[in-house]
Amino acid sequence: MESEQNPLLVHSHIPGQIDRFSLAKNWLPRYTGMPLEEFGEYILLTNFHNYLELFAARFKCQIRGVGRPMQAATSADGLTMINFGIGSANAATVMDLLSAIRPKGVLFLGKCGGLKHSSEIGHFILPIAAIRGEGTSLDYFPPEVPALPSFKLHKFVSNILLDSETDYRTGVVYTTNRRMWEHDDAFRTKMQDMTCIAVDMETATLFIVGHYNQIARGALLLVSDVPITPDGVKTEASDQRVTQMWAERHLDVGIRAMATIGQSGEQIRHFRY
Amino acid sequence: MESEQNPLLVHSHIPGQIDRFSLAKNWLPRYTGMPLEEFGEYILLTNFHNYLELFAARFKCQIRGVGRPMQAATSADGLTMINFGIGSANAATVMDLLSAIRPKGVLFLGKCGGLKHSSEIGHFILPIAAIRGEGTSLDYFPPEVPALPSFKLHKFVSNILLDSETDYRTGVVYTTNRRMWEHDDAFRTKMQDMTCIAVDMETATLFIVGHYNQIARGALLLVSDVPITPDGVKTEASDQRVTQMWAERHLDVGIRAMATIGQSGEQIRHFRY
Amino acid sequence: MESEQNPLLVHSHIPGQIDRFSLAKNWLPRYTGMPLEEFGEYILLTNFHNYLELFAARFKCQIRGVGRPMQAATSADGLTMINFGIGSANAATVMDLLSAIRPKGVLFLGKCGGLKHSSEIGHFILPIAAIRGEGTSLDYFPPEVPALPSFKLHKFVSNILLDSETDYRTGVVYTTNRRMWEHDDAFRTKMQDMTCIAVDMETATLFIVGHYNQIARGALLLVSDVPITPDGVKTEASDQRVTQMWAERHLDVGIRAMATIGQSGEQIRHFRY
């Protein structure tokens, strides 16, 4: 029955109401310039244009959506990458829109700022949860519901990391809408007291809105700056160096994981409410 | 004294601390691809790429920052337009970054959803305040501080609207990080109970972070959809129609306002904390 | 340096303060009747006396602590099981006391009530997080810090479950100090709206206090009743049936996991604050 298979109808069962699923099907192509049938079953998310360019160059596929809020490309094998932009609003939007195609798995390849002395630039982080700082979607679930990745998806990604002899850390990421806070000691201390390993702007929102839409999701983050040390703050020069040294490997692990999880991954059971 | 004139130092006077002003000066070119000296004293903000293209075509100037998080262009007369992206995270970031150049005035040309039956597609709204829904910058000021435009800037824009025989409405806008809520009756009712005239994703954040950075700011919003009626929800087709019919006029009023306020505007006194 | 290696001193660096680590070393034998040197590096936790009896019978080892608040037994190979009692108070106590011996891994074998129609009696749950309902340890971390298992420990337990062809579910468990709530519709609805898979009385506390004490921890829960259906509420008879049918397997998976993780598990990196 359609009403059982459509996760969106769970949340919009009032007759005559605007139907989220229809909206998402109309909006996803409008936001990305990509027709629905071109999306694959597994999705990589990024907010760096050059990741999408590297993806499109590797798979010799076209980038859709230039001039639109989001850009996307799909490989011949049916793996899709979307550059959804920066911040929680865009993170929530893309996870709502993706409900239109009910993907089997979504992996975010993002960058984050390391908050521990053991987090160095170039480290990979597989976050076990993300704290929902301001801007991360209280309209979806009350604040005590934790923002979590899908266990089996992360288990698979961690195996790909081990196979490729890429070391990684686990821990809790703090997600906030605020970008410039490096000068604010109280804010930094709060995040450290919560023992967060890193700070970013999207992970908690992707996790909680993905959970709301019943989408299996994960995040593999690259530490691109260490804002707790004065010379660790991101600058033009440091960002280019990080991109040169680690972006290819980051992208590579993400592609390997999402390209093979359909065949090799433990079955991800889609839960029912 | 430099430390008195620099609004950022007000908030970062601890010796040895990371300096916000230096960060902003380093980051603004990194985010926009535009060197600091190329920015004008008055800034138009948009989150629609085609507004920036229309601007660049009219003034025959180059678009900087393609492939970066934000794009910008500056006319020969020194008026700058920035496409800063969607959502509160980007809105807060651009107002923090602009502190690097201490602009004399910033006007946001945005789109919003009308929430009253008197708000029709194509109407212009000059918001007198914006409600800080989730995601709009509690780190800057506690929630009871209202997000407001600079009065003299809005007074000037309202005169330009009258001169060009463009009707406009005033009222309070609700700003939220959430994009898909049209199906959620409780959320819609909450906004209407607060007597909001429209809903958007950036205005409250631009106002409150502009206030924090002591930047004169305003917003002129175009009603691009009326999500309270089922056929008023934005779709690909409706969006193109709105753009065709009203975008040129929207942009035109914005350019006239920011191009002439320096000569004709009532002086905007910069307050001190 | 001792002060760097001892996680407890991180939280008690004020001169003259009572030293948590010394207290824990004194109290752990007092609570369990087991001398410190008899504890193994890997710990199984239970709150069912018959699990401890089955453990002691299988490994022909002595049960310590009869007549004390907790009982414990250690196999010849150095695997320890502790029956720590019921509720958050005891869960917090045992995780604080265990800091005395800095175990390498702690796995809780608990029972829970299933909250979804897909959770049936006899199912195993590997919780990806637990919601900190009332009574679950705000003194350790503020409420927005999620209560989480250690990823690599759970990854290992999930592999043992797969190897032994034991199906399992993942999801979020709601932990509360309240025992009788089956009659309270609002409480039940709240837990279901948060999409919790099960409810118990210890998991969130074990996770958050384990995190505070930097102890790698996990939980493997057995659904022993389904309180959302009238005939699913636990009774004497139903409990005996559950024990007969699934307790041996539950214990077996737990023993296999904790007995082999030292040799076969991915190295669990102990983070530093």
Side-chain angles (χ1 to χ4, degrees), chain A residues 17-18 20 23 27 30-31 68 86 89-90 93 134-138 177 179 183 233-234 236, chain B residues 17-18 20 23 27 30-31 68 86 89-90 93 134-139 177 179 183 233-234 236:
Chain A
Q17 219 188 4
I18 296 162
R20 284 182 78 222
L23 263 191
W27 287 7
R30 180 161 68 86
Y31 268 71
R68 294 178 186 252
I86 291 171
N90 293 315
T93 302
E134 202 201 352
T136 47
S137 307
L138 289 178
N177 248 352
R179 181 60 196 86
H183 59 285
V233 173
K234 201 190 273 194
E236 173 83 43
Chain B
Q17 217 187 4
I18 295 161
R20 283 182 78 222
L23 262 191
W27 287 7
R30 179 161 68 86
Y31 268 72
R68 293 180 187 250
I86 290 172
N90 293 315
T93 302
E134 201 203 353
T136 48
S137 307
L138 288 178
D139 293 315
N177 248 351
R179 182 62 198 86
H183 60 284
V233 173
K234 200 189 274 195
E236 172 84 40

Side-chain angles (χ1 to χ4, degrees), chain A residues 30-80:
Chain A
R30 180 161 68 86
Y31 268 71
T32 60
M34 182 177 275
L36 290 175
E37 60 275 13
E38 214 172 300
F39 284 88
E41 293 188 317
Y42 291 91
I43 310 282
L44 287 169
L45 294 181
T46 183
N47 36 29
F48 292 92
H49 188 72
N50 84 310
Y51 274 48
L52 187 61
E53 284 179 340
L54 289 168
F55 180 93
R58 180 186 301 203
F59 293 111
K60 299 183 176 48
C61 57
Q62 204 190 336
I63 294 179
R64 305 278 193 191
V66 177
R68 294 178 186 252
M70 300 176 181
Q71 297 80 46
T74 299
S75 75
D77 293 337
L79 177 63
T80 296

Side-chain angles (χ1 to χ4, degrees), chain C residues 236-257:
Chain C
E236 174 80 40
S238 74
D239 197 39
Q240 284 186 356
R241 198 167 50 89
V242 168
T243 300
Q244 272 177 346
M245 293 182 70
W246 291 286
E248 274 282 1
R249 177 159 220 164
H250 192 194
L251 184 64
D252 204 60
V253 170
I255 289 171
R256 279 187 60 195

Side-chain angles (χ1 to χ4, degrees), chain C residues 72-89:
Chain C
T74 299
S75 76
D77 292 336
L79 178 63
T80 297
M81 176 174 262
I82 305 172
N83 173 17
F84 68 93
I86 289 172
S88 279

Side-chain angles (χ1 to χ4, degrees), chain A residues 18 23 27, chain B residues 179-185 188 225 227 233:
Chain A
I18 296 162
L23 263 191
W27 287 7
Chain B
R179 182 62 198 86
M180 278 187 72
W181 49 262
E182 280 77 353
H183 60 284
D184 183 340
D185 282 341
R188 199 163 55 198
D225 59 330
V233 173

Side-chain angles (χ1 to χ4, degrees), chain C residues 97-241:
Chain C
L97 296 182
L98 282 174
S99 63
I101 56 160
R102 295 176 196 159
K104 291 191 173 163
V106 174
L107 180 65
F108 174 44
L109 301 177
K111 294 183 188 168
C112 63
L115 289 175
K116 294 195 177 181
H117 290 292
S118 61
S119 317
E120 286 172 29
I121 292 175
H123 282 177
F124 289 105
I125 292 176
L126 202 56
I128 51 175
I131 292 180
R132 301 163 62 188
E134 204 199 350
T136 47
S137 307
L138 287 179
D139 292 319
Y140 293 86
F141 284 110
E144 59 267 46
V145 177
L148 302 168
S150 301
F151 177 73
K152 289 175 186 176
L153 195 148
H154 265 206
K155 184 179 168 185
F156 189 77
V157 174
S158 83
N159 285 338
I160 298 285
L161 285 161
L162 292 180
D163 285 352
S164 60
E165 295 182 352
T166 305
D167 200 17
Y168 70 100
R169 275 145 191 79
T170 61
V172 176
V173 169
Y174 190 89
T175 298
T176 175
N177 251 349
R178 188 177 181 190
R179 181 61 197 84
M180 280 187 69
W181 50 263
E182 280 78 353
H183 60 286
D184 183 340
D185 281 342
F187 188 75
R188 196 164 56 197
T189 302
K190 183 180 80 170
M191 291 190 292
Q192 289 180 315
D193 285 349
M194 290 175 176
T195 71
C196 295
I197 194 171
V199 54
D200 89 335
M201 301 175 77
E202 294 88 11
T203 297
T205 310
L206 292 168
F207 284 176
I208 206 81
V209 184
H211 176 48
Y212 182 80
N213 286 307
Q214 302 182 33
I215 297 172
R217 69 269 160 203
L220 179 63
L221 305 179
L222 172 63
V223 179
S224 62
D225 59 331
V226 187
I228 50 170
T229 54
D231 57 345
V233 174
K234 199 189 276 194
T235 60
E236 174 80 40
S238 74
D239 197 39
Q240 284 186 356
R241 198 167 50 89

